[in-house]
Amino acid sequence: GAVVSQHPSWVICKSGTSVKIECRSLDFQATTMFWYRQFPKQSLMLMATSNEGSKATYEQGVEKDKFLINHASLTLSTLTVTSAHPEDSSFYICGGGGGTYEQYFGPGTRLTVT
Amino acid sequence: RKEVEQDPGPFNVPEGATVAFNCTYSNSASQSFFWYRQDCRKEPKLLMSVYSSGNEDGRFTAQLNRASQYISLLIRDSKLSDSATYLCVVNVGNTPLVFGKGTRLSVIA
């Protein structure tokens, strides 16, 4: 299957700081990437759809000014959690592909905000 | 009603047992169906796609019933390594995948 990398794999930051997570498709071009968040014992919740060269589409209840998404190239999408708070602590996963095809996920980024 | 519903489990079964997971979906326009496996603190990985005719991959068999909007996964001869959370996933056309909450399986020696 296709390969998606994510960086960093885990990060601890202080409340009020910003954290950037990178998602790269290594062997395919991704015009669309999906960003998910998963809390413990919960399912993946789609946060936003990242579109190369245009604005991201956010799901209801997700603050676009807090979770900044940039998809400047066909192989890189970034999610920046701005002014992070402890309640933002979660497992963030990006995915590429999808539609009628299987989706490939990055290994995830575990964010802990203290 | 949630879009994709699964029994959260956990299912605790002995090695060698046969276990079945069920999943229902609410959108009759759903076109693609998958089972993903997620290990603790890892990303989900595709286990198998699900077709109307049913499909089998080794010890794993998936079934789809469009009339009842129901998907199943059967695991035969369970191994310790099968312990994971199994996610039922559906898709409506070219839209993001919709995930169920997952069913936890623990295979016990």
Side-chain angles (χ1 to χ4, degrees):
Chain A
V3 180
V4 177
S5 71
Q6 235 178 290
H7 177 81
S9 56
W10 62 271
V11 58
I12 301 173
C13 70
K14 292 186 176 180
S15 188
T17 60
S18 295
V19 175
K20 179 187 280 189
I21 303 170
E22 292 187 350
C23 178
R24 294 180 185 273
S25 56
L26 299 184
D27 56 358
F28 68 101
Q29 293 185 328
T31 54
T32 302
M33 297 284 261
F34 302 97
W35 285 96
Y36 298 86
R37 180 168 54 181
Q38 187 176 34
F39 292 107
K41 298 188 179 182
Q42 299 292 317
S43 184
L44 274 74
M45 295 300 296
L46 180 67
M47 298 176 66
T49 302
S50 169
N51 304 298
E52 188 267 334
S54 64
K55 292 183 178 179
T57 304
Y58 289 82
E59 296 299 299
Q60 191 173 14
V62 179
E63 299 175 57
K64 62 180 181 180
D65 294 329
K66 180 172 180 62
F67 299 98
L68 301 179
I69 291 174
N70 184 280
H71 194 154
S73 77
L74 288 171
T75 59
L76 174 64
S77 176
T78 62
L79 169 69
T80 301
V81 183
T82 63
S83 187
H85 290 284
E87 57 264 32
D88 297 324
S89 299
S90 187
F91 191 45
Y92 292 85
I93 306 176
C94 67
T100 55
Y101 305 104
E102 65 188 84
Q103 189 163 124
Y104 301 100
F105 293 93
T109 297
R110 192 159 298 280
L111 171 64
T112 300
V113 184
T114 61
Chain B
R1 182 183 172 188
K2 294 177 182 173
E3 290 190 71
V4 178
E5 293 202 59
Q6 293 182 251
D7 182 342
F11 284 63
N12 300 313
V13 303
E15 272 187 292
T18 296
V19 61
F21 303 141
N22 302 319
C23 167
T24 57
Y25 59 94
S26 61
N27 192 334
S28 60
S30 298
Q31 297 176 357
S32 305
F33 310 89
F34 310 92
W35 282 102
Y36 277 73
R37 169 192 170 133
Q38 186 175 24
D39 293 289
C40 188
R41 295 176 176 261
K42 299 286 187 181
E43 76 277 21
K45 293 187 177 179
L46 180 68
L47 179 65
M48 59 198 305
S49 301
V50 188
Y51 305 114
S52 296
S53 55
N55 48 304
E56 185 174 313
D57 182 3
R59 298 181 293 108
F60 299 85
T61 301
Q63 297 277 356
L64 166 65
N65 184 320
R66 286 187 183 271
S68 302
Q69 295 180 197
Y70 170 95
I71 306 163
S72 67
L73 176 68
L74 182 77
I75 305 175
R76 292 181 298 276
D77 189 22
S78 298
K79 312 290 184 189
L80 294 175
S81 57
D82 293 334
S83 299
T85 296
Y86 291 83
L87 305 172
C88 176
V89 184
V90 306
N91 170 256
V92 181
N94 195 26
T95 58
L97 300 177
V98 180
F99 290 81
K101 283 192 173 183
T103 299
R104 277 202 299 135
L105 170 66
S106 291
V107 181
I108 305 163

